[in-house]
Amino acid sequence: MALWIDISVSKHQLKLYDASTLLKEYPIAIGKILTPTPTGNYMISNKEENPGGPFGVLWMGLSKPHYGIHGTNDPSSIGKSVSHGCIRMQNDDVVELSNMVPLGTNVYIHP
């Protein structure tokens, strides 16, 4: 499998691909204007269950320090531009995604 994650900040959407085949699509929250989600190519560098605070049930850190894909303690924020730059997902969604992607998975973030 050649899994990779495509994140569209303008569409508030995360897609999981195996090569060119779309496997799954999720709604996300992204960074607000003053703390935008950084665009570029990154990798999932670590995972942590129950990180506490606003990060929901799971944190997947990106190769860009201090940024990650994580759950939320505020499900109503999904679909909005409200974070400090991280990608926020529903808790069930982030657990499902984490179970599918290994460390080192490429993450492409674009407008």
Side-chain angles (χ1 to χ4, degrees), residues 60-100:
M60 290 189 287
L62 297 178
S63 53
K64 183 171 180 71
H66 312 295
Y67 290 92
I69 301 169
H70 62 79
T72 182
N73 59 0
D74 180 11
S76 68
S77 68
I78 302 301
K80 301 176 182 159
S81 302
V82 292
S83 80
H84 287 100
C86 288
I87 292 91
R88 225 183 254 183
M89 300 177 72
Q90 298 286 2
N91 286 320
D92 289 348
D93 289 351
V94 78
V95 168
E96 181 179 75
L97 179 65
S98 176
N99 287 334
M100 290 190 280

Side-chain angles (χ1 to χ4, degrees), residues 6-9 11-15 26-30 69 77-81 87-90:
D6 175 276
I7 295 174
S8 168
V9 292
K11 293 180 181 173
H12 293 82
Q13 193 172 66
L14 182 152
K15 294 179 179 180
Y26 300 99
I28 57 169
I30 58 155
I69 301 169
S77 68
I78 302 301
K80 301 176 182 159
S81 302
I87 292 91
R88 225 183 254 183
M89 300 177 72
Q90 298 286 2

Side-chain angles (χ1 to χ4, degrees), residues 35-77:
T35 55
T37 298
T39 56
N41 287 300
Y42 308 103
M43 288 187 325
I44 294 175
S45 57
N46 68 306
K47 296 181 184 183
E48 185 181 342
E49 291 185 11
N50 301 310
F55 304 119
V57 297
L58 185 86
W59 164 270
M60 290 189 287
L62 297 178
S63 53
K64 183 171 180 71
H66 312 295
Y67 290 92
I69 301 169
H70 62 79
T72 182
N73 59 0
D74 180 11
S76 68
S77 68

